[in-house]
Amino acid sequence: MMAEALPLPDTGSTTGDLTEQVVRVSAFYASARGQVFAQLLAACVEDQTGAAYFREYFLNGRRAAITELWQRGVA
């Protein structure tokens, strides 16, 4: 859900991409959907099954997205 709501920016500069990503993530978490999403993520702290799901389907995807932004910057 978050990946669909937050496609990676491509502003033409690394600084612009990273800045835009922070703006987009902040706006998402400030939205009604983002607030519900944050509560679901917080619930994973005490739920091992939820935590495993979080790592596999959310955290790994966000890490891959940020890695892509960094790799574009390096290139």
Side-chain angles (χ1 to χ4, degrees):
M1 178 179 91
M2 186 176 185
E4 290 175 8
L6 297 169
L8 288 178
D10 190 356
T11 64
S13 78
T14 303
T15 301
D17 289 350
L18 293 171
T19 301
E20 181 61 23
Q21 183 67 8
V22 169
V23 169
R24 290 179 184 187
V25 169
S26 297
F28 176 78
Y29 279 113
S31 73
R33 288 176 64 187
Q35 290 174 9
V36 170
F37 192 72
Q39 292 172 5
L40 292 171
L41 294 179
C44 291
V45 171
E46 295 184 12
D47 180 339
Q48 290 184 4
T49 302
Y53 185 87
F54 166 75
R55 282 190 301 277
E56 183 176 347
Y57 294 102
F58 173 74
L59 192 56
N60 290 341
R62 296 317 302 162
R63 285 180 177 160
I66 296 303
T67 297
E68 182 179 331
L69 288 180
W70 280 109
Q71 288 175 340
R72 269 198 256 158
V74 169

Coordinates of all heavy atoms in Angstrom, one line a residue:
M1 N 0.8 -1.2 0.0 CA 0.0 0.0 0.0 C 0.9 1.3 0.0 O 0.7 2.2 -0.8 CB -0.9 0.0 1.2 CG -1.8 1.2 1.4 SD -2.8 1.1 2.8 CE -1.8 1.9 4.0
M2 N 1.9 1.3 0.9 CA 2.7 2.4 0.9 C 3.6 2.6 -0.3 O 3.7 3.7 -0.8 CB 3.6 2.4 2.2 CG 4.5 3.6 2.4 SD 5.4 3.5 3.9 CE 6.1 5.1 4.0
A3 N 4.1 1.5 -0.9 CA 4.9 1.5 -2.1 C 4.0 2.1 -3.2 O 4.6 2.9 -4.0 CB 5.4 0.2 -2.4
E4 N 2.8 1.7 -3.3 CA 1.9 2.3 -4.4 C 1.6 3.8 -4.1 O 1.6 4.5 -5.1 CB 0.6 1.5 -4.4 CG 0.7 0.1 -4.9 CD -0.6 -0.7 -4.8 OE1 -1.6 -0.1 -4.5 OE2 -0.5 -1.9 -5.0
A5 N 1.5 4.2 -2.9 CA 1.2 5.6 -2.6 C 2.5 6.4 -2.7 O 2.4 7.7 -2.9 CB 0.7 5.7 -1.2
L6 N 3.7 5.8 -2.6 CA 4.9 6.6 -2.6 C 5.9 6.1 -3.7 O 6.9 5.5 -3.4 CB 5.6 6.5 -1.3 CG 4.8 7.1 -0.1 CD1 5.5 6.7 1.2 CD2 4.8 8.6 -0.2
P7 N 5.6 6.3 -5.0 CA 6.5 5.9 -6.0 C 7.8 6.7 -5.8 O 7.8 7.8 -5.3 CB 5.8 6.2 -7.3 CG 4.8 7.3 -7.0 CD 4.4 7.0 -5.5
L8 N 8.9 6.1 -6.2 CA 10.2 6.8 -6.1 C 10.2 8.0 -6.9 O 9.9 8.0 -8.1 CB 11.4 5.9 -6.5 CG 11.7 4.8 -5.5 CD1 12.8 3.9 -6.0 CD2 12.0 5.3 -4.1
P9 N 10.7 9.2 -6.4 CA 10.8 10.4 -7.2 C 12.0 10.3 -8.1 O 12.9 9.6 -7.9 CB 11.0 11.5 -6.1 CG 11.6 10.8 -5.0 CD 11.1 9.4 -5.0
D10 N 11.9 11.0 -9.2 CA 13.1 11.2 -10.1 C 13.1 12.6 -10.5 O 12.6 13.0 -11.6 CB 12.9 10.2 -11.3 CG 14.2 10.2 -12.1 OD1 15.2 10.9 -11.8 OD2 14.3 9.4 -13.1
T11 N 13.8 13.4 -9.7 CA 13.8 14.9 -9.9 C 15.0 15.3 -10.8 O 15.1 16.4 -11.2 CB 13.9 15.6 -8.6 OG1 15.2 15.3 -8.0 CG2 12.8 15.3 -7.7
G12 N 15.9 14.3 -11.1 CA 17.1 14.6 -11.8 C 18.3 14.9 -11.0 O 19.4 15.0 -11.5
S13 N 18.1 14.9 -9.6 CA 19.3 15.1 -8.8 C 19.1 14.2 -7.5 O 18.0 14.0 -7.1 CB 19.5 16.5 -8.4 OG 18.6 16.9 -7.3
T14 N 20.2 13.7 -7.0 CA 20.2 12.9 -5.8 C 19.6 13.7 -4.6 O 18.7 13.2 -3.9 CB 21.6 12.4 -5.4 OG1 22.1 11.7 -6.5 CG2 21.5 11.5 -4.2
T15 N 20.0 14.9 -4.4 CA 19.5 15.7 -3.3 C 18.0 15.9 -3.5 O 17.2 15.8 -2.5 CB 20.2 17.1 -3.3 OG1 21.6 16.9 -3.1 CG2 19.7 18.0 -2.2
G16 N 17.6 16.2 -4.7 CA 16.1 16.4 -5.0 C 15.3 15.2 -4.7 O 14.2 15.2 -4.2
D17 N 15.9 14.0 -5.2 CA 15.1 12.8 -5.0 C 15.0 12.4 -3.5 O 13.9 12.1 -3.1 CB 15.9 11.6 -5.7 CG 15.8 11.7 -7.2 OD1 15.0 12.5 -7.7 OD2 16.5 10.9 -7.8
L18 N 16.1 12.5 -2.8 CA 16.0 12.2 -1.3 C 15.1 13.2 -0.6 O 14.3 12.8 0.3 CB 17.4 12.2 -0.7 CG 18.3 11.0 -1.3 CD1 19.7 11.2 -0.8 CD2 17.8 9.7 -0.8
T19 N 15.2 14.5 -0.9 CA 14.3 15.5 -0.3 C 12.9 15.2 -0.6 O 12.0 15.2 0.3 CB 14.7 16.9 -0.7 OG1 16.1 17.1 -0.4 CG2 13.8 17.9 -0.1
E20 N 12.6 14.9 -1.8 CA 11.2 14.6 -2.2 C 10.7 13.4 -1.6 O 9.5 13.3 -1.2 CB 11.1 14.5 -3.8 CG 9.7 14.2 -4.3 CD 8.7 15.3 -4.0 OE1 9.1 16.5 -3.7 OE2 7.5 15.0 -3.9
Q21 N 11.6 12.4 -1.4 CA 11.1 11.1 -0.8 C 10.7 11.4 0.7 O 9.7 10.9 1.2 CB 12.2 10.1 -0.8 CG 11.9 8.7 -0.2 CD 10.8 8.0 -1.0 OE1 10.4 8.4 -2.1 NE2 10.3 6.9 -0.4
V22 N 11.5 12.2 1.4 CA 11.2 12.5 2.8 C 9.9 13.3 2.8 O 9.0 13.0 3.7 CB 12.4 13.4 3.4 CG1 11.9 13.9 4.8 CG2 13.6 12.5 3.6
V23 N 9.7 14.2 1.9 CA 8.4 15.0 1.9 C 7.2 14.1 1.6 O 6.2 14.1 2.3 CB 8.5 16.1 0.8 CG1 7.1 16.7 0.5 CG2 9.5 17.2 1.2
R24 N 7.4 13.1 0.7 CA 6.3 12.2 0.4 C 6.0 11.3 1.6 O 4.8 11.0 1.9 CB 6.6 11.4 -0.8 CG 6.6 12.2 -2.1 CD 7.0 11.3 -3.3 NE 7.1 12.1 -4.5 CZ 7.3 11.5 -5.7 NH1 7.4 10.2 -5.9 NH2 7.3 12.3 -6.8
V25 N 7.0 10.7 2.2 CA 6.8 9.8 3.3 C 6.1 10.6 4.5 O 5.2 10.1 5.1 CB 8.1 9.2 3.8 CG1 8.0 8.4 5.1 CG2 8.6 8.2 2.7
S26 N 6.6 11.8 4.7 CA 6.0 12.6 5.8 C 4.5 12.9 5.5 O 3.7 12.8 6.4 CB 6.8 13.9 6.0 OG 8.1 13.7 6.3
A27 N 4.2 13.2 4.3 CA 2.8 13.5 3.9 C 2.0 12.2 4.0 O 0.8 12.3 4.5 CB 2.8 14.1 2.5
F28 N 2.5 11.1 3.7 CA 1.8 9.8 3.8 C 1.4 9.6 5.2 O 0.3 9.3 5.6 CB 2.6 8.7 3.2 CG 1.9 7.4 3.4 CD1 0.9 7.0 2.6 CD2 2.3 6.5 4.4 CE1 0.2 5.8 2.7 CE2 1.7 5.3 4.6 CZ 0.6 4.9 3.8
Y29 N 2.4 9.7 6.1 CA 2.2 9.4 7.5 C 1.3 10.4 8.2 O 0.6 10.1 9.2 CB 3.5 9.2 8.3 CG 4.1 7.8 8.1 CD1 5.3 7.7 7.5 CD2 3.5 6.7 8.6 CE1 5.8 6.4 7.3 CE2 4.0 5.4 8.5 CZ 5.2 5.3 7.8 OH 5.7 4.1 7.6
A30 N 1.2 11.6 7.6 CA 0.3 12.6 8.2 C -1.2 12.4 7.7 O -2.1 13.0 8.3 CB 0.8 14.0 7.8
S31 N -1.3 11.6 6.7 CA -2.7 11.4 6.1 C -3.4 10.4 7.0 O -2.8 9.7 7.8 CB -2.6 10.8 4.7 OG -2.1 9.5 4.7
A32 N -4.7 10.2 6.7 CA -5.5 9.3 7.5 C -5.1 7.9 7.2 O -4.9 7.1 8.1 CB -7.0 9.4 7.1
R33 N -4.8 7.5 6.0 CA -4.2 6.2 5.6 C -2.9 5.9 6.3 O -2.6 4.9 6.8 CB -4.1 6.0 4.1 CG -5.4 5.9 3.4 CD -5.2 5.8 1.9 NE -4.5 4.6 1.5 CZ -4.1 4.4 0.3 NH1 -4.3 5.2 -0.7 NH2 -3.4 3.3 0.0
G34 N -2.1 6.9 6.3 CA -0.8 6.8 7.0 C -0.8 6.6 8.5 O 0.0 5.9 9.0
Q35 N -1.8 7.3 9.1 CA -2.0 7.1 10.5 C -2.4 5.7 10.9 O -1.9 5.1 11.8 CB -2.9 8.2 11.1 CG -2.3 9.6 11.0 CD -3.3 10.6 11.4 OE1 -4.4 10.4 11.9 NE2 -2.9 11.9 11.2
V36 N -3.3 5.1 10.1 CA -3.7 3.7 10.3 C -2.5 2.8 10.0 O -2.3 1.9 10.8 CB -4.9 3.4 9.4 CG1 -5.2 1.9 9.4 CG2 -6.1 4.2 9.8
F37 N -1.8 3.1 9.0 CA -0.6 2.3 8.6 C 0.4 2.3 9.8 O 1.0 1.3 10.1 CB 0.0 2.8 7.3 CG 1.0 1.9 6.7 CD1 0.6 0.7 6.1 CD2 2.3 2.2 6.7 CE1 1.6 -0.2 5.5 CE2 3.3 1.4 6.2 CZ 2.9 0.2 5.6
A38 N 0.7 3.5 10.3 CA 1.6 3.6 11.4 C 1.1 2.8 12.6 O 2.0 2.2 13.3 CB 1.8 5.1 11.8
Q39 N -0.1 2.7 12.9 CA -0.7 2.0 14.0 C -0.4 0.5 13.8 O -0.1 -0.3 14.7 CB -2.1 2.3 14.2 CG -2.4 3.7 14.8 CD -3.8 4.0 14.8 OE1 -4.7 3.2 14.5 NE2 -4.1 5.3 15.1
L40 N -0.6 0.0 12.5 CA -0.4 -1.4 12.2 C 1.1 -1.7 12.4 O 1.4 -2.8 12.9 CB -0.8 -1.6 10.7 CG -2.3 -1.6 10.5 CD1 -2.6 -1.7 9.0 CD2 -3.0 -2.7 11.2
L41 N 2.0 -0.8 11.9 CA 3.4 -1.1 12.1 C 3.8 -1.1 13.6 O 4.5 -2.0 14.0 CB 4.2 0.0 11.4 CG 4.1 0.1 9.9 CD1 5.0 1.2 9.3 CD2 4.5 -1.2 9.3
A42 N 3.2 -0.2 14.4 CA 3.5 -0.2 15.8 C 3.0 -1.5 16.5 O 3.7 -2.1 17.4 CB 2.8 1.0 16.5
A43 N 1.9 -2.1 16.0 CA 1.4 -3.4 16.5 C 2.3 -4.5 16.3 O 2.4 -5.5 17.0 CB 0.0 -3.7 16.0
C44 N 3.2 -4.4 15.2 CA 4.1 -5.5 14.9 C 5.2 -5.6 15.9 O 5.9 -6.6 16.0 CB 4.7 -5.2 13.5 SG 3.6 -5.4 12.2
V45 N 5.4 -4.6 16.8 CA 6.5 -4.6 17.8 C 6.3 -5.8 18.7 O 7.3 -6.4 19.1 CB 6.6 -3.3 18.5 CG1 7.5 -3.4 19.7 CG2 7.0 -2.2 17.6
E46 N 5.1 -6.0 19.1 CA 4.8 -7.1 20.1 C 4.2 -8.4 19.5 O 3.9 -9.3 20.2 CB 3.9 -6.5 21.1 CG 4.5 -5.4 22.0 CD 3.6 -4.9 23.1 OE1 2.6 -5.6 23.4 OE2 3.9 -3.9 23.7
D47 N 4.1 -8.4 18.2 CA 3.5 -9.6 17.5 C 4.6 -10.1 16.6 O 4.9 -9.6 15.5 CB 2.3 -9.1 16.7 CG 1.6 -10.2 16.0 OD1 2.3 -11.3 15.7 OD2 0.5 -10.1 15.6
Q48 N 5.1 -11.3 16.9 CA 6.2 -11.9 16.1 C 5.8 -12.2 14.7 O 6.6 -12.0 13.8 CB 6.8 -13.1 16.8 CG 7.6 -12.8 18.1 CD 8.2 -14.0 18.7 OE1 8.1 -15.1 18.2 NE2 8.8 -13.9 19.9
T49 N 4.6 -12.7 14.6 CA 4.1 -13.0 13.2 C 4.0 -11.7 12.4 O 4.4 -11.6 11.3 CB 2.8 -13.7 13.3 OG1 2.9 -14.9 14.0 CG2 2.2 -14.1 11.9
G50 N 3.4 -10.7 13.0 CA 3.3 -9.4 12.4 C 4.6 -8.8 12.1 O 4.8 -8.2 11.0
A51 N 5.6 -8.9 13.0 CA 7.0 -8.4 12.8 C 7.6 -9.1 11.6 O 8.3 -8.4 10.7 CB 7.8 -8.6 14.0
A52 N 7.5 -10.4 11.4 CA 8.1 -11.1 10.3 C 7.4 -10.6 9.0 O 8.1 -10.4 8.0 CB 7.9 -12.6 10.5
Y53 N 6.1 -10.5 9.0 CA 5.4 -10.0 7.8 C 5.9 -8.6 7.5 O 6.1 -8.2 6.3 CB 3.9 -10.0 8.1 CG 3.1 -9.6 6.9 CD1 2.7 -10.5 6.0 CD2 2.7 -8.3 6.7 CE1 1.9 -10.2 4.9 CE2 1.9 -7.9 5.6 CZ 1.5 -8.9 4.7 OH 0.8 -8.5 3.6
F54 N 6.0 -7.7 8.5 CA 6.5 -6.4 8.3 C 7.9 -6.3 7.7 O 8.1 -5.6 6.7 CB 6.6 -5.7 9.7 CG 7.3 -4.4 9.7 CD1 6.8 -3.2 9.2 CD2 8.6 -4.3 10.3 CE1 7.5 -2.0 9.2 CE2 9.3 -3.1 10.3 CZ 8.8 -2.0 9.8
R55 N 8.8 -7.2 8.2 CA 10.1 -7.2 7.6 C 10.1 -7.7 6.1 O 10.7 -7.1 5.3 CB 11.0 -8.1 8.4 CG 11.6 -7.5 9.7 CD 12.6 -8.3 10.3 NE 12.2 -9.7 10.7 CZ 11.5 -10.0 11.8 NH1 11.2 -9.1 12.7 NH2 11.2 -11.2 12.0
E56 N 9.3 -8.7 5.9 CA 9.3 -9.3 4.5 C 8.6 -8.4 3.5 O 9.1 -8.2 2.4 CB 8.6 -10.7 4.5 CG 8.6 -11.3 3.2 CD 8.1 -12.7 3.2 OE1 7.9 -13.3 4.3 OE2 7.8 -13.3 2.1
Y57 N 7.5 -7.9 3.9 CA 6.7 -7.1 2.9 C 6.8 -5.6 2.9 O 6.4 -4.9 2.0 CB 5.2 -7.5 3.0 CG 5.0 -9.0 2.6 CD1 4.9 -10.0 3.6 CD2 5.0 -9.4 1.3 CE1 4.7 -11.3 3.3 CE2 4.8 -10.7 1.0 CZ 4.7 -11.7 2.0 OH 4.5 -13.0 1.6
F58 N 7.3 -5.1 4.0 CA 7.4 -3.6 4.1 C 8.8 -3.2 4.2 O 9.3 -2.5 3.3 CB 6.6 -3.1 5.3 CG 6.8 -1.6 5.5 CD1 6.2 -0.7 4.7 CD2 7.7 -1.2 6.5 CE1 6.5 0.7 4.9 CE2 7.9 0.2 6.7 CZ 7.3 1.1 5.9
L59 N 9.5 -3.6 5.2 CA 10.9 -3.1 5.4 C 11.8 -3.4 4.3 O 12.6 -2.6 3.8 CB 11.4 -3.6 6.8 CG 12.7 -3.0 7.3 CD1 12.5 -1.5 7.4 CD2 13.1 -3.6 8.6
N60 N 11.8 -4.7 3.8 CA 12.7 -5.0 2.7 C 12.4 -4.2 1.5 O 13.3 -3.8 0.8 CB 12.6 -6.5 2.4 CG 13.2 -7.4 3.5 OD1 13.9 -6.9 4.3 ND2 12.8 -8.6 3.5
G61 N 11.1 -3.9 1.2 CA 10.7 -3.1 0.0 C 11.2 -1.7 0.2 O 11.7 -1.1 -0.8
R62 N 11.1 -1.1 1.4 CA 11.5 0.3 1.6 C 13.0 0.4 1.5 O 13.5 1.3 0.9 CB 11.0 0.8 2.9 CG 9.5 0.9 3.0 CD 8.7 1.5 1.8 NE 9.2 2.8 1.4 CZ 9.0 3.3 0.2 NH1 8.3 2.6 -0.7 NH2 9.4 4.5 -0.1
R63 N 13.7 -0.6 2.0 CA 15.2 -0.6 1.9 C 15.6 -0.7 0.5 O 16.5 0.0 0.0 CB 15.8 -1.8 2.7 CG 15.7 -1.6 4.2 CD 16.3 -2.8 4.9 NE 16.4 -2.5 6.3 CZ 16.5 -3.5 7.2 NH1 16.6 -4.7 6.9 NH2 16.5 -3.1 8.5
A64 N 14.9 -1.5 -0.3 CA 15.3 -1.7 -1.7 C 15.0 -0.3 -2.5 O 15.8 0.1 -3.3 CB 14.4 -2.8 -2.4
A65 N 13.9 0.3 -2.1 CA 13.6 1.6 -2.8 C 14.7 2.7 -2.4 O 15.2 3.4 -3.3 CB 12.3 2.1 -2.3
I66 N 15.1 2.8 -1.2 CA 16.1 3.8 -0.8 C 17.5 3.4 -1.4 O 18.2 4.2 -1.9 CB 16.2 3.9 0.7 CG1 14.9 4.4 1.3 CG2 17.4 4.8 1.2 CD1 14.4 5.8 0.7
T67 N 17.7 2.1 -1.5 CA 19.0 1.6 -2.2 C 19.0 2.1 -3.6 O 20.0 2.5 -4.1 CB 19.1 0.1 -2.1 OG1 19.2 -0.3 -0.7 CG2 20.3 -0.4 -2.8
E68 N 17.8 2.0 -4.3 CA 17.8 2.4 -5.7 C 18.1 3.9 -5.8 O 18.8 4.4 -6.7 CB 16.4 2.1 -6.2 CG 16.2 2.5 -7.7 CD 14.9 2.2 -8.3 OE1 14.2 1.2 -7.8 OE2 14.5 2.9 -9.2
L69 N 17.5 4.7 -4.8 CA 17.8 6.2 -4.9 C 19.3 6.4 -4.7 O 19.9 7.2 -5.4 CB 17.0 6.9 -3.8 CG 15.5 7.1 -4.0 CD1 14.9 7.8 -2.8 CD2 15.2 7.8 -5.3
W70 N 19.9 5.7 -3.7 CA 21.3 5.9 -3.5 C 22.2 5.5 -4.7 O 23.1 6.1 -5.1 CB 21.8 5.1 -2.2 CG 21.5 5.8 -1.0 CD1 20.5 5.4 0.0 CD2 22.1 7.0 -0.4 NE1 20.5 6.3 1.0 CE2 21.5 7.2 0.8 CE3 23.1 7.8 -0.9 CZ2 21.8 8.3 1.6 CZ3 23.4 8.9 -0.1 CH2 22.8 9.2 1.1
Q71 N 21.8 4.3 -5.3 CA 22.6 3.8 -6.4 C 22.5 4.8 -7.6 O 23.4 5.0 -8.3 CB 22.1 2.4 -6.8 CG 22.5 1.4 -5.9 CD 22.0 0.0 -6.2 OE1 21.0 -0.1 -6.9 NE2 22.6 -1.0 -5.6
R72 N 21.3 5.4 -7.8 CA 21.2 6.4 -8.8 C 22.1 7.6 -8.6 O 22.7 8.1 -9.5 CB 19.7 7.0 -8.9 CG 18.8 6.2 -9.8 CD 17.6 7.1 -10.1 NE 16.5 6.5 -9.4 CZ 15.4 7.2 -9.1 NH1 15.3 8.4 -9.4 NH2 14.4 6.6 -8.4
G73 N 22.2 8.0 -7.3 CA 23.1 9.1 -6.9 C 24.5 8.8 -7.2 O 25.3 9.6 -7.6
V74 N 24.9 7.6 -6.8 CA 26.3 7.1 -7.0 C 26.6 7.2 -8.5 O 27.7 7.6 -9.0 CB 26.6 5.8 -6.4 CG1 27.9 5.2 -6.9 CG2 26.5 5.9 -4.9
A75 N 25.7 6.7 -9.3 CA 25.9 6.6 -10.8 C 25.9 8.0 -11.4 O 26.7 8.3 -12.3 CB 24.8 5.8 -11.4

